[in-house]
Amino acid sequence: MQGELIIKAESHLYQEKYDVIIIGSGLGGLAAGSLLSRRNYKILVLERKRRVGGRFSTIKKDGFKIPTGAIIIPDSWAIKLFNEMGIDMSALRPLTRIFYKINGTDYEISPELGIPMVLNIIDRLERERAEKTGKNITAVNLKEILGGYLRGIRGVKDENIVTVRDWLLQFTENEKVHEVFDELCAALMMAHSWELPITKFFRFKEMKKFFMASQGNLSIARALARVIESSGVVWINSRVTKIELKEGWATGVVIERNRERMEISCRAIISDAGPRMTLQLAGPENFDQAYLKNLRIKIRPSPSILVLIASDKPLCLEGINDGLEIIMGSRRIRTVVPITNICPELAPPNQHLLYASVEPISCIHPVEIQCEINQIKRDLQELFPHFQKHGRILQIKLCSDLGNSPEGWTWLGYGMPIETSIPNLFNVGDACIAPGLIGTTGSVESGYRAAETVAKLLEGHE
Ligand SMILES: Cc1cc2nc3c(=O)[nH]c(=O)nc-3n(C[C@H](O)[C@H](O)[C@H](O)COP(=O)(O)OP(=O)(O)OC[C@H]3O[C@@H](n4cnc5c(N)ncnc54)[C@H](O)[C@@H]3O)c2cc1C
C-alpha cells in the first residue's frame, strides 16, 4: 500500500487545487476524508509519517505486529464508519468478556451489570476479610454508593464541581472501592479520580462491546485510505509546515516532501494534527482571544505508558479468546489484553503477545519514566508467575504530548469544538472529542461532524 501511495503521488500534478486538504491520517482525518470522498469532493491527505493511521496503526517488531496506540475499538462510531466504508468486518474480532482481578482472583463481570456488580463483589470480599481477620474494615456502604451512582447516571448538576474522589468520599472511605473508580477514570477518561470532575465522569456512556483488528489497525487505516483514493490522494512522508491564509481564510498549505517544498491550494482544511499544532501552522495571531483561552483551559493531554510483553507461554486468561482483564491493587498496570488469545496472527508461531496499559501516577505532571518502569517491572513479576521464565518486555513506550502522541489529546469531557477562528479551517481527532466518547470512537465522531460542516460550507460557495 505504501508503495502504491507513493507511485500515485509522484504521477500527480502538484499545482492542482483540492476541495479539502486533510493534515494527518489518524482516525479523525481518515474518517473526515473518506466521508467527503464518498460525496465526491477532491481530497488530499498529507501524513508526515511513513504509514497511515497515526495512533491507530501497526508497526513490526521481532516478527510481532504491535499497535502504535489503540488496541480496543468500542462498538460505536468507528464501527459505524467501517461498515459504511465497506471495510471487511471479518477482520474484526469481538472482545466481549471482562474480568476483574481482585486480590489475585479473576471475576467475570457481565457488561450489562458493570460497576454495580464489581462493587457487590468488593462488598462481599471486604465483609469476608473482616470476619476472617476480626479487624475493623472501612465500610463499603454499598447501598449508599449505588444510590449515588444511579442518581449520577440520571444527571448531576454542572455547578457541582468536585472530583470523582470527593464525590465518592460522601459514601465511603474504603480504598478498594476508590480503586475501582480510579481504574475507570484512568483507563477510559484519561485522568485519575482525584483529577477528574464528577460532572465529566457521569457523562461517560458505559460501553458493552469491543473489537480488535485481527491483522492490526494498519490494515483498517489502509482500507480507509483506499476509499479516499477513489476521489483523491493520500501522501505519506509529507509534513505540513504552514497553513496559508488570505484575508482571514485558509487558502492552502506548504509542505515538505522528499526534501522538496511545495505549496498546494484548497478550499477548506481539516487538521488532525491536534489544535495546538494547527495553531502553530496557521499562526496564533490569526485566532481570536476566546479561541486561544478555550484552547489553554481545555486541552489536557493525557500521558500513558504502552507496555507490550512477548512470551512463549500465555501469561493470563489462558484459553479465553475474547476477554480482557482489569487489575485491582497493582502498582501501575491497570488493564491487560492478551492480544494473541484473540488474534494469534499478530505474533510469530508459538509466541504470545500481551498488552498492558499503564496510567502514570499523575495525568497532569511530567512523567518520571524510570520510576514508572521500575513499578511496571515489579507488577509484571507479581501479577504473572510465568513472566520471569517465559516472558520478555518487547516495548515500553511513553505516550505523551512531548512525543506528540499522548493517549488522548484531552480528558473526557474537555473536547474543543471542531470550528476555529478561521471560517474554513477545522480540527478533528480526539482533542475535539464529544462528551461521553473515548479515543478511537471520539476521533471518528469528530470526523463525521467535520465532513458534514465542510460539505455545507463548500456547497454554500459553489
Ligand atoms: C497507548 C495508547 C493506547 C490507546 N488505547 C486505546 C484503546 O484501546 N481504545 C481507543 O478507543 N483508543 C485508544 N487510544 C486513543 C486512540 O488511539 C486515539 O484517540 C486515536 O487513535 C486518535 O486519532 P486522531 O485522529 O485524533 O489522531 P492521531 O492518530 O494522532 O493522528 C494524527 C496524525 O497527524 C499526523 N500529523 C501531525 N502533524 C502533522 C503535520 N504537520 N503534517 C502531516 N501530518 C501530521 C500524525 O503523524 C498522525 O498520523 C490509545 C492511545 C494510545 C497512545
Side-chain angles (χ1 to χ4, degrees):
M1 172 77 174
Q2 283 173 9
E4 283 167 39
L5 289 174
I6 290 167
I7 291 161
K8 194 164 178 189
E10 280 169 355
S11 61
H12 204 88
L13 292 172
Y14 300 141
Q15 60 268 46
E16 198 149 327
K17 182 168 176 167
Y18 290 88
D19 289 319
V20 186
I21 285 181
I22 296 180
I23 307 172
S25 69
L27 265 183
L30 291 174
S34 53
L35 289 161
L36 286 165
S37 273
R38 281 284 158 94
R39 293 178 178 217
N40 288 324
Y41 287 107
K42 204 164 143 195
I43 309 295
L44 171 62
V45 176
L46 297 164
E47 169 55 54
R48 66 181 171 180
K49 295 212 167 139
R50 285 174 43 224
R51 62 188 139 65
V52 290
R55 282 170 283 160
F56 183 78
S57 196
T58 312
I59 51 175
K60 284 196 181 146
K61 188 163 187 198
D62 298 352
F64 291 84
K65 289 183 182 171
I66 62 175
T68 54
I71 181 94
I72 301 165
I73 312 165
D75 185 9
S76 178
W77 288 89
I79 301 297
K80 172 178 153 69
L81 178 78
F82 302 162
N83 262 311
E84 284 177 16
M85 294 303 146
I87 306 289
D88 175 12
M89 297 308 273
S90 67
L92 293 171
R93 301 260 162 82
L95 192 61
T96 45
R97 296 174 72 186
I98 298 177
F99 295 82
Y100 273 69
K101 197 188 254 315
I102 308 171
N103 301 344
T105 304
D106 281 330
Y107 296 88
E108 184 165 1
I109 302 298
S110 138
E112 272 62 45
L113 299 178
I115 300 184
M117 185 171 171
V118 181
L119 295 175
N120 254 298
I121 293 173
I122 288 184
D123 186 41
R124 178 166 55 76
L125 292 176
E126 287 293 83
R127 282 170 197 275
E128 284 170 11
R129 187 158 73 99
E131 257 173 47
K132 221 171 171 177
T133 59
K135 282 188 189 156
N136 254 350
I137 303 249
T138 315
V140 167
N141 295 336
L142 184 65
K143 225 172 107 195
E144 288 79 358
I145 309 172
L146 288 179
Y149 184 73
L150 294 175
R151 279 196 302 281
I153 289 176
R154 287 197 292 270
V156 277
K157 288 199 190 109
D158 262 356
E159 62 267 29
N160 289 341
I161 300 184
V162 294
T163 64
V164 175
R165 187 173 170 86
D166 287 333
W167 169 84
L168 192 56
L169 280 170
Q170 300 174 83
F171 310 116
T172 185
E173 290 180 36
N174 184 290
E175 279 306 323
K176 296 254 177 230
V177 176
H178 279 272
E179 245 179 59
V180 173
F181 280 81
D182 183 46
E183 162 61 35
L184 270 173
C185 293
L188 296 173
M189 302 170 201
M190 311 282 162
H192 286 287
S193 60
W194 53 89
E195 297 168 326
L196 193 78
I198 189 67
T199 44
K200 309 289 185 194
F201 177 87
F202 278 121
R203 300 204 70 169
F204 176 68
K205 298 175 185 73
E206 237 186 294
M207 293 166 296
K208 311 250 182 263
K209 200 170 167 195
F210 306 90
F211 292 93
M212 265 184 67
S214 62
Q215 302 300 319
N217 294 335
L218 178 58
S219 64
I220 296 182
R222 281 175 170 168
L224 291 172
R226 279 196 288 273
V227 173
I228 297 172
E229 286 180 304
S230 63
S231 71
V233 185
V234 179
W235 282 357
I236 52 172
N237 293 321
S238 303
R239 176 188 291 272
V240 174
T241 56
K242 192 175 177 208
I243 292 173
E244 301 270 31
L245 299 177
K246 197 173 171 196
E247 291 162 8
W249 287 70
T251 55
V253 295
V254 179
I255 70 165
E256 272 169 19
R257 180 176 152 77
N258 300 335
R259 293 202 203 92
E260 254 185 74
R261 184 179 176 278
M262 283 181 236
E263 287 175 29
I264 311 172
S265 52
C266 62
R267 298 167 66 201
I269 296 177
I270 296 176
S271 173
D272 188 25
R276 283 185 184 167
M277 169 73 85
T278 311
L279 185 82
Q280 292 313 318
L281 292 173
E285 65 283 4
N286 295 304
F287 293 78
D288 61 43
Q289 287 306 318
Y291 182 85
L292 294 175
K293 180 171 181 198
N294 211 5
L295 191 69
R296 275 197 309 275
I297 60 175
K298 279 207 162 164
I299 294 299
R300 301 172 183 214
S302 179
S304 157
I305 300 167
L306 173 56
V307 183
L308 290 153
I309 314 295
S311 62
D312 53 31
K313 209 174 155 66
L315 296 181
C316 76
L317 297 184
E318 197 167 351
I320 291 168
N321 64 3
D322 55 357
L324 61 84
E325 191 176 53
I326 294 170
I327 294 169
M328 297 283 129
S330 56
R331 292 182 169 76
R332 289 294 187 280
I333 294 181
R334 300 303 193 91
T335 307
V336 293
V337 184
I339 294 183
T340 37
N341 289 17
I342 306 150
C343 306
E345 302 91 326
L346 299 176
N350 304 320
Q351 290 288 304
H352 303 269
L353 184 60
L354 184 78
Y355 166 100
S357 96
V358 173
E359 229 62 43
I361 195 71
S362 164
C363 293
I364 297 177
H365 299 106
V367 179
E368 285 277 350
I369 187 68
Q370 199 46 54
C371 157
E372 297 294 328
I373 290 175
N374 293 342
Q375 298 293 321
I376 292 166
K377 285 185 174 163
R378 290 179 70 183
D379 264 350
L380 287 172
Q381 280 162 9
E382 286 168 12
L383 293 169
F384 309 114
H386 297 310
F387 171 71
Q388 191 83 342
K389 191 160 171 232
H390 296 276
R392 70 190 162 92
I393 295 172
L394 196 60
Q395 186 189 70
I396 295 191
K397 182 174 104 177
L398 172 64
C399 302
S400 76
D401 56 334
L402 298 175
N404 252 327
S405 61
E407 182 171 9
W409 267 113
T410 199
W411 303 355
L412 180 119
Y414 284 83
M416 291 279 292
I418 54 165
E419 291 82 7
T420 69
S421 312
I422 298 160
N424 61 342
L425 172 64
F426 301 87
N427 283 305
V428 283
D430 60 8
C432 302
I433 207 148
L437 301 183
I438 63 159
T440 51
T441 195
S443 304
V444 168
E445 189 276 341
S446 72
Y448 271 89
R449 265 184 289 146
E452 197 54 43
T453 312
V454 168
K456 271 199 195 121
L457 180 85
L458 295 184
E459 275 161 30
H461 287 81
E462 292 296 10

